[in-house]
Amino acid sequence: MLVMTPSPTPHSRQAWSVLIVSTLAFTVCFMVWMMFGVIGIPLKKELGLNATQFGLLTATPVLTGSLVRVPLGIWTDKYGGRIVFTLLMAVTVPAIWLMAYATEFWHFLVIGLFVGLAGGSFSVGTPYVARWFPKQRQGMAMGIFGAGNSGAAVNKFVAPALVVAFGWTMVPQVYAAVMLGTVILFWLFSHHDASHLVPSHTRFVDQLKALKDPTVLKYCQYYSIVFGGYVALSLWMVQYYVGEYGLDIRVAALLAACFSLPGGVLRAIGGWLSDKYGAHTVTWWVMWVSWICLFLLSYPQTDFTIQTVEGPKTFHIGLNVYAFTALMFVLGIAWAFGKASVFKYISDEYPKNIGTISGIVGLAGGMGGFILPILFGALLDVTGIRSSAFMLMYGVVWVSLIWMYLTEVRRHDVLKHNPDTRSA
């Protein structure tokens, strides 16, 4: 007997088209946003920068990408993701191209602010994609879109090859061309649905009142780790490998991608897990895995001598490059799941205001990605210990674990299958 399966509806086809092209666009935007993580290494030598200045250089694009997230989320609610996403990408193209002609440190900082607009794409794409899918599949949809974070890994594959073959100036030129092509593809294959817009009488000030919600602030704290930490370490890891283990920039970038790639691609699985087991359960275990990994990563290379019956003996404690990379790989997976689970919280708690809330939470995550590299550099200049970056992240995770325990765990069984679990 022949069984006929229904063909996809036009709306379903449009939803998947929107998801695919938005994920591609976000991947390119994230690749551009992370550009300084690679080209910053030759620039550091060329401009004679210290660790703090290097941290500021890499973090500057992250600042703009963070600050624009709230207005972009609100504009997406009001005007639709198609037009906002297209205009956002188009505006960055000239700035990316001009990067190749910068010669002074302040040139890179100023141009970096405009290039950083690409980082705001997340607050556009998240509500845009989510509203094309039913609630029970929004975690999956946002997880797939969020996999565009893997643009950080794509940058680590592409940029080092361009730097070695043609010099660092070729990177922004190639990226500008790629961004322009992405703008065209996105406009051709994306769609608009007027029913997804927030009513026009909704005021900007009314939507910003969400900043007073303590639950939103808690989600901001979570996201400052799983996304802010991801961005910061993606920017920091190539030079960390070069400095700590003396690796070539291409090898360093390849190993750094072991953190960036799963931290982006596996976000879709995190969305599926959040749909199935609930955002609370996934986030709770993400924080504990992060705590363990960061504890081990925090320990600096240490030599110590003890007196034995046979005389003094010297021992060495420290992570070799293989153990370090394995821990970073696990941390990347955990944060991929965490990025998806935080936004599952948002889609569950604020279904009618996803754009604004995702913009606020995204702002917090982005600000974490801006502040942390600067603090990493400052700590390195003050202490001379490279692993001090992980010590800082370890302390931040402690804050989230305590906050989560006090507001959620005491009231919920974290092992219980309950997709609708809500936090206090």
Side-chain angles (χ1 to χ4, degrees):
M1 179 178 177
L2 180 62
V3 178
M4 299 297 293
T5 57
S7 60
T9 65
H11 189 275
S12 175
R13 288 195 296 268
Q14 287 182 349
W16 282 102
S17 178
V18 165
L19 178 57
I20 292 169
V21 76
S22 296
T23 303
L24 172 64
F26 183 46
T27 302
V28 173
C29 286
F30 215 89
M31 178 180 73
V32 168
W33 207 36
M34 297 287 100
M35 180 168 51
F36 276 141
V38 174
I39 69 170
I41 295 174
L43 286 174
K44 181 181 179 181
K45 183 177 180 180
E46 184 177 311
L47 300 175
L49 307 179
N50 60 29
T52 305
Q53 289 172 318
F54 176 80
L56 180 61
L57 174 68
T58 59
T60 298
V62 182
L63 175 62
T64 316
S66 305
L67 294 178
V68 298
R69 286 191 169 202
V70 173
L72 284 174
I74 293 173
W75 292 338
T76 300
D77 283 345
K78 189 170 184 179
Y79 301 110
R82 187 179 188 228
I83 184 66
V84 176
F85 212 149
T86 301
L87 290 175
L88 178 66
M89 290 189 290
V91 167
T92 65
V93 174
I96 300 169
W97 180 266
L98 287 174
M99 185 70 69
Y101 300 96
T103 56
E104 302 290 337
F105 182 51
W106 71 267
H107 293 170
F108 292 100
L109 296 182
V110 173
I111 297 175
L113 291 173
F114 290 94
V115 173
L117 292 172
S121 57
F122 183 73
S123 291
V124 180
T126 299
Y128 177 49
V129 165
R131 291 193 174 105
W132 283 93
F133 290 85
K135 183 175 180 179
Q136 65 272 20
R137 302 186 72 188
Q138 285 182 345
M140 175 275 300
M142 290 188 294
I144 292 175
F145 171 76
N149 284 169
S150 59
V154 175
N155 177 57
K156 290 180 175 63
F157 292 127
V158 176
L162 292 174
V163 169
V164 172
F166 305 104
W168 72 264
T169 56
M170 181 59 69
V171 176
Q173 292 176 338
V174 170
Y175 281 16
V178 171
M179 181 66 86
L180 181 59
T182 304
V183 172
I184 297 170
L185 282 174
F186 181 82
W187 183 255
L188 291 175
F189 294 100
S190 59
H191 301 278
H192 176 73
D193 188 335
S195 67
H196 294 168
L197 304 181
V198 171
S200 58
H201 64 266
T202 302
R203 297 186 304 167
F204 184 90
V205 175
D206 292 337
Q207 293 190 325
L208 286 181
K209 289 180 180 177
L211 287 167
K212 299 179 180 179
D213 188 339
T215 303
V216 173
L217 296 179
K218 181 171 62 176
Y219 298 157
C220 289
Q221 165 67 15
Y222 297 166
Y223 206 59
S224 70
I225 296 172
V226 296
F227 180 76
Y230 173 79
V231 169
L233 291 180
S234 292
L235 291 168
W236 198 252
M237 278 302 95
V238 178
Q239 67 86 33
Y240 189 97
Y241 274 110
V242 171
E244 184 77 355
Y245 299 106
L247 302 178
D248 174 77
I249 187 173
R250 288 168 294 185
V251 178
L254 181 63
L255 292 179
C258 293
F259 166 74
S260 301
L261 189 59
V265 172
L266 297 181
R267 185 168 181 160
I269 299 177
W272 174 79
L273 289 172
S274 299
D275 283 339
K276 185 174 183 179
Y277 297 106
H280 166 75
T281 300
V282 175
T283 307
W284 174 247
W285 288 111
V286 162
M287 291 300 170
W288 274 110
V289 171
S290 302
W291 184 86
I292 294 169
C293 289
L294 289 168
F295 175 80
L296 296 173
L297 290 165
S298 296
Y299 204 86
Q301 302 288 339
T302 304
D303 292 306
F304 63 97
T305 302
I306 62 173
Q307 293 293 332
T308 72
V309 293
E310 298 176 355
K313 286 190 176 181
T314 301
F315 296 88
H316 176 78
I317 297 177
L319 296 172
N320 61 32
V321 67
Y322 305 106
F324 179 85
T325 303
L327 285 170
M328 291 300 296
F329 179 74
V330 174
L331 188 63
I333 294 173
W335 285 357
F337 293 171
K339 283 179 284 187
S341 66
V342 170
F343 274 83
K344 178 59 176 175
Y345 270 127
I346 294 172
S347 68
D348 286 346
E349 299 279 353
Y350 306 96
K352 297 181 179 180
N353 208 18
I354 298 176
T356 302
I357 304 301
S358 66
I360 293 170
V361 174
L363 167 63
M367 288 305 294
F370 167 69
I371 295 170
L372 287 171
I374 300 174
L375 294 178
F376 292 167
L379 285 172
L380 179 57
D381 283 336
V382 171
T383 66
I385 301 173
R386 288 192 178 86
S387 65
S388 58
F390 299 107
M391 298 176 190
L392 175 62
M393 289 302 305
Y394 176 75
V396 176
V397 170
W398 254 125
V399 174
S400 283
L401 276 170
I402 294 170
W403 197 345
M404 182 174 252
Y405 177 78
L406 293 176
T407 60
E408 298 181 47
V409 175
R410 289 191 303 178
R411 306 184 191 186
H412 300 287
D413 180 358
V414 298
L415 298 177
K416 184 178 180 181
H417 180 111
N418 184 7
D420 295 325
T421 296
R422 294 192 176 199
S423 50

